[in-house]
Amino acid sequence: MESVTIKRKCFICDKEVQDGIDVLGKFICEECQKRLINLSPFDKNYDFYRQKMIDIWEDYMKDVGYENWV
């Protein structure tokens, strides 16, 4: 029997890959996970990754029906 490889689209980089994790319902690939873990506030891409994580949180809060969480 052949194994089936399921690829998913990363919420951060939009690449379709097999390995990663779900964070509040959004898939993040291993490459982006590593970038996030090693990210410094002084990194030129910090604001991009920060906003992506905020987007995940806001989308999650919207789905659970809580609009004014800030």
Side-chain angles (χ1 to χ4, degrees):
M1 182 173 194
E2 292 182 39
S3 64
V4 177
T5 302
I6 299 173
K7 292 188 176 183
R8 297 173 66 191
K9 188 175 183 178
C10 177
F11 180 77
I12 295 176
C13 69
D14 291 329
K15 289 182 185 174
E16 289 198 13
V17 297
Q18 181 178 351
D19 297 321
I21 60 169
D22 282 299
V23 175
L24 299 176
K26 302 294 182 194
F27 178 73
I28 298 177
C29 71
E30 284 186 347
E31 191 174 317
C32 286
Q33 289 175 62
K34 290 176 185 175
R35 287 185 184 142
L36 285 166
I37 290 168
N38 295 309
L39 194 61
S40 162
F42 305 106
D43 188 301
K44 67 179 181 175
N45 294 318
Y46 179 83
D47 289 336
F48 170 78
Y49 285 100
R50 179 180 178 274
Q51 187 57 53
K52 285 295 195 176
M53 297 309 291
I54 289 170
D55 293 345
I56 289 172
W57 180 251
E58 287 178 343
D59 193 50
Y60 174 77
M61 293 305 286
K62 179 184 68 176
D63 287 347
V64 297
Y66 192 74
E67 295 292 328
N68 299 316
W69 63 273
V70 177

